[in-house]
Amino acid sequence: ETGVTQSPTHLIKTRGQQVTLRCSSQSGHNTVSWYQQALGQGPQFIFQYYREEENGRGNFPPRFSGLQFPNYSSELNVNALELDDSALYLCASSPIGVGETQYFGPGTRLLVL
Amino acid sequence: KQEVTQIPAALSVPEGENLVLNCSFTDSAIYNLQWFRQDPGKGLTSLLLIQSSQREQTSGRLNASLDKSSGRSTLYIAASQPGDSATYLCAVRGLDTGKLIFGQGTTLQVKP
């Protein structure tokens, strides 16, 4: 158990809809990152938040957006869902300056029909 | 642009064998390298993290080495067990960003 939780565990949406995924980090971890993992692939970095500000972004369009809250929770929002958005979405938290191991949650499996 | 490659993509061995998983990266300017384990449909479990100044890390039957100059890391698993069956991912962190860049993973099956 890493102490990082994600909800929901599974989700089915239709193309064009919007989705919000949630992550609760470990206490004291002020950095959270989101990754997308397509089937059979390694995770791809979406973006990172540090102290509630975006602190780096991967090659994902603006319809992927996020928020980080003072209580160490965060959200990933995806608008105008496309079929290719079907994937496992992982969040990872880390304590800045302590070896910087990233601790991953169990993920949310999103299926877009 | 950093690229991470893992070879082989899949591996099947009998129980008890010692084995080596390989990871290579194209840019040696890294902050650290991390090995993860992923069970089917699950999240990632961190196994070992090697800082750029280190050569290796050990945890139980696992040993990871890092050769930054050649852009290579290996994960050595001693006396493999069926419970080791999973996908193993390596990831590097660059110097100027907190993001991890992952390889595609090696799927390991250890047969009883």
Side-chain angles (χ1 to χ4, degrees), chain B residues 35-64:
Chain B
W35 282 92
F36 294 90
R37 169 186 172 137
Q38 186 174 34
D39 293 292
K42 305 294 185 183
L44 276 62
T45 300
S46 179
L47 298 174
L48 291 164
L49 181 145
I50 310 176
Q51 301 292 350
S52 62
S53 58
Q54 298 175 322
R55 298 284 292 187
E56 66 178 337
Q57 284 285 338
T58 298
S59 176
R61 295 182 293 109
L62 305 180
N63 175 275

Side-chain angles (χ1 to χ4, degrees), chain A residues 43-106:
Chain A
Q44 298 288 317
F45 176 76
I46 302 175
F47 45 56
Q48 182 181 78
Y49 279 79
Y50 172 62
R51 293 184 175 178
E52 303 169 48
E53 296 285 334
E54 188 177 291
N55 184 41
R57 188 178 185 92
N59 189 27
F60 281 80
R63 59 189 184 85
F64 286 78
S65 63
L67 286 171
Q68 185 185 27
F69 303 102
N71 64 353
Y72 308 115
S73 66
S74 64
E75 291 181 353
L76 165 64
N77 298 288
V78 187
N79 294 321
L81 283 166
E82 301 177 359
L83 298 180
D84 285 349
D85 295 334
S86 296
L88 180 68
Y89 288 86
L90 298 161
C91 79
S93 71
S94 63
I96 287 288
V98 185
E100 303 188 35
T101 298
Q102 294 202 13
Y103 299 89
F104 281 77

Side-chain angles (χ1 to χ4, degrees), chain B residues 2 8 13-14 17 20 23 50 52 60 73 90 93:
Chain B
Q2 179 74 271
V13 300
E17 274 204 6
V20 174
C23 172
I50 310 176
S52 62
S73 177
C90 75
R93 184 192 161 193

Side-chain angles (χ1 to χ4, degrees), chain B residues 78-112:
Chain B
S80 60
Q81 303 170 358
D84 295 330
S85 299
T87 295
Y88 292 81
L89 294 151
C90 75
V92 299
R93 184 192 161 193
L95 295 177
D96 59 350
T97 175
K99 75 177 183 182
L100 296 179
I101 299 174
F102 284 84
Q104 291 194 314
T106 293
T107 298
L108 171 65
Q109 181 186 36
V110 181
K111 296 177 287 187

